[in-house]
Amino acid sequence: MSGTVSKFEAANCTVSSQVLDRAKKSLAGGDSSTMRVLPYHIPLVADRAQGCRLWDVDGNEYIDLNMSYGPLLLGHRPKAVIEAVYRQISEQGSQLGFPTEVTMRVAEKIKKLFPSIELLRFANSGTEACASAVRLAKTYTGRNKLIMFEGHYHGWSEAVFTKYHAPLDELPEKGYGQAIPGTSGMGDSIKDVITVQWNDLDALERALAEHGDEVCAVMMEPISGNAGLLMPKDGYLATVREMAHDCGALLIFDEVITGMRVSPGGAQEHYLVSPDITVMSKAMGGGYPVSAFGASAEMMQCIVKGPLFHGGVFSGNAIVMSAAEAVLDTVLADKEGIYGHLNAVSDQLANGVKDIYSRLNIPAQVNHLGPLMAAMITKEETEGLYNYRDVRRHADFDRYIQFQHWMQQRGVYFHPNEFEPMFLSIAHSSRDIDEVLERWEEGARQCLVR
């Protein structure tokens, strides 16, 4: 991706640019997440947000289609979450240092949505929960190798951080192979990871034939959300589970993105496939840093009785538990109404974008499920995008950046990296989507028509 920000594009973000310049003197790169300060991202320093709208320090207003990369299922500053957190802080305390009833209640409510989980533990981020899930699989099975998939992201811990957006010429020709470390400074544990082409049962079969008796688990995003939102082929998830179990391995679903988003019980509810271990985060916290991993009671005895350690001063702290309980209570009270609305606005946006691209003869692939969407611009018409290699080969990343810059300047924000999906919330209305589509068509005519 070689897009840059022109002087014209930076004209409406003078204050944001100044703040980021100052930040770079104290924060490496200007922020604590590289994804927020990529070189092709128009500078945007957020000031405040409400519902589905966000304002930056320059006073620009945006309809937010990013929603903090997914956690804000109820929108920015939802009243129920604010009230629950305020009540917890003012009446009981933010961090008590002991077990609390609110933590127990949240666990019970998660189990109502995710029947595959009998016992769980809380952590503070998807990275932490994924790392613990892998340790659990290795401890329970007594094996060390792990199968993952190209384009899938499971956090940046030592055991799982692969170069998930690797150039095509670095990927193995046979469809599977040794994982490529995701960063410098990593230890040797990544050598236990085999990465396989997504949605390719033949490649997985060959990998398991070679390594199956050493594999502790097959770990995946059940919907590939870090490579342009790729859906599993019909029957793929169930077949992968069967193949993993046949060789004595477990199935881990990383539902950090999909949990409580594509349905109340995540992708496993939507596709009716139960994993052995589930990881979740993002939507369950309503904007607060929380994650969880869970499995059968038998498997979680590895933690209860040892030898597997899990802890953390802030794991399951009262603030994030009160926020998570507010989100869970909202969902449990009206699942049909909430997900009916989420599906309606998502369908409206996805179908509207498809119609625009069709009428203007713009090659693209628009994928969506519930309030998750990707509108990938391609270099030419293509039958479909089924795995990371397809996206890398066909997506037009530079034109997507140009289009995103145009949309951001007109008050619609989504991330400029074409691998990143869009997220909607219950705060998005049909009128908001109409406004987005009006600008989308104008932007498509300006930037994408050849």
Side-chain angles (χ1 to χ4, degrees):
M1 283 162 272
S2 58
T4 57
V5 179
S6 69
K7 291 182 179 180
F8 173 76
E9 289 169 329
N12 292 330
C13 56
T14 303
V15 180
S16 288
S17 297
Q18 292 171 348
V19 172
L20 286 173
D21 286 342
R22 177 184 173 188
K24 289 175 183 177
K25 298 176 182 178
S26 302
L27 292 163
D31 192 67
S32 293
S33 175
T34 299
M35 288 300 291
R36 296 193 287 255
V37 286
L38 292 168
Y40 53 86
H41 196 300
I42 295 177
L44 194 165
V45 175
D47 177 57
R48 67 190 190 283
Q50 178 66 53
C52 71
R53 305 267 173 165
L54 181 142
W55 291 262
D56 65 20
V57 292
D58 289 274
N60 300 312
E61 178 181 339
Y62 307 92
I63 298 175
D64 187 358
L65 300 182
N66 186 56
M67 303 310 288
S68 194
Y69 297 89
L72 304 178
L73 186 72
L74 307 185
H76 290 280
R77 294 163 58 195
K79 183 179 179 182
V81 173
I82 291 172
E83 290 178 347
V85 171
Y86 176 78
R87 186 167 55 250
Q88 179 66 45
I89 293 172
S90 62
E91 298 179 8
Q92 294 175 280
S94 60
Q95 172 69 332
L96 302 174
F98 295 93
T100 60
E101 286 189 75
V102 65
T103 308
M104 173 197 69
R105 294 196 303 269
V106 172
E108 290 173 343
K109 290 167 184 176
I110 287 173
K111 288 175 57 179
K112 290 181 180 179
L113 297 179
F114 292 82
S116 66
I117 297 175
E118 292 180 343
L119 291 176
L120 59 92
R121 278 286 181 99
F122 291 109
N124 300 292
S125 68
T127 290
E128 287 184 38
C130 283
S132 293
V134 170
R135 285 181 176 176
L136 176 60
K138 290 183 177 183
T139 301
Y140 185 75
T141 63
R143 300 174 175 184
N144 284 323
K145 286 195 178 294
L146 179 69
I147 286 183
M148 292 169 28
F149 295 91
E150 296 168 359
H152 290 209
Y153 174 70
H154 305 294
W156 43 263
S157 69
E158 289 287 299
V160 296
F161 188 34
T162 66
K163 194 172 184 179
Y164 62 106
H165 289 163
L168 288 172
D169 59 9
E170 295 184 19
L171 299 176
E173 292 184 8
K174 61 183 179 180
Y176 73 94
Q178 176 67 52
I180 304 169
T183 181
S184 61
M186 292 182 67
D188 293 336
S189 58
I190 197 68
K191 292 181 179 179
D192 287 327
V193 176
I194 301 105
T195 52
V196 180
Q197 182 167 268
W198 170 249
N199 264 332
D200 185 341
L201 290 172
D202 290 338
L204 179 60
E205 184 177 29
R206 293 194 301 272
L208 288 171
E210 183 175 347
H211 302 285
D213 59 353
E214 302 175 89
V215 172
C216 69
V218 177
M219 185 176 192
M220 68 167 75
E221 300 175 58
I223 297 171
S224 184
N226 283 281
L229 197 64
L230 309 176
M231 307 300 170
K233 292 181 179 178
D234 290 346
Y236 179 75
L237 299 181
T239 304
V240 171
R241 180 181 61 183
E242 182 179 350
M243 293 169 68
H245 287 178
D246 283 347
C247 71
L250 305 174
L251 176 63
I252 303 174
F253 274 4
D254 176 351
E255 296 231 44
V256 167
I257 289 177
T258 54
M260 291 182 66
R261 182 161 279 282
V262 298
S263 70
Q268 57 194 267
E269 177 185 354
H270 179 80
Y271 291 109
L272 300 176
V273 175
S274 295
D276 299 296
I277 303 175
T278 296
V279 177
M280 56 189 300
S281 182
K282 292 201 175 186
M284 67 180 284
Y288 285 76
V290 62
S291 63
F293 65 99
S296 68
E298 177 188 355
M299 202 174 302
M300 294 297 281
Q301 294 307 306
C302 295
I303 295 174
V304 176
K305 297 180 179 179
L308 179 61
F309 173 79
H310 173 262
V313 170
F314 291 104
S315 295
N317 71 80
I319 293 178
V320 300
M321 289 294 98
S322 62
E325 184 170 38
V327 174
L328 285 158
D329 284 346
T330 301
V331 168
L332 287 167
D334 187 19
K335 287 191 286 187
E336 185 175 339
I338 287 172
Y339 289 89
H341 174 80
L342 290 169
N343 289 330
V345 292
S346 178
D347 289 347
Q348 181 185 355
L349 179 59
N351 292 335
V353 171
K354 288 178 184 178
D355 177 65
I356 290 168
Y357 287 164
S358 176
R359 286 188 286 102
L360 299 180
N361 295 314
I362 296 168
Q365 289 284 313
V366 180
N367 297 334
H368 87 291
L369 181 60
L372 264 176
M373 178 178 135
M376 292 174 283
I377 301 162
T378 54
K379 298 170 186 175
E380 66 286 308
E381 291 291 347
T382 181
E383 179 183 347
L385 303 174
Y386 302 104
N387 55 55
Y388 167 74
R389 298 189 191 201
D390 288 343
V391 177
R392 191 79 187 194
R393 187 176 295 113
H394 297 292
D396 197 332
F397 294 98
D398 290 338
R399 289 176 73 220
Y400 189 87
I401 291 170
Q402 294 170 9
F403 176 63
Q404 188 277 339
H405 285 186
W406 194 97
M407 292 292 284
Q408 182 173 330
Q409 288 185 296
R410 275 73 179 180
V412 176
Y413 181 80
F414 50 88
H415 199 275
N417 187 326
E418 196 160 14
F419 285 128
E420 290 291 321
M422 300 173 196
F423 300 88
L424 297 177
S425 73
I426 64 172
H428 289 86
S429 69
S430 179
R431 290 182 63 182
D432 294 319
I433 302 304
D434 283 339
E435 191 173 339
V436 169
L437 290 172
E438 182 179 347
R439 298 177 196 179
W440 202 294
E441 176 153 3
E442 185 180 356
R445 291 182 183 276
Q446 292 288 330
C447 304
L448 303 178
V449 174
R450 290 171 171 166

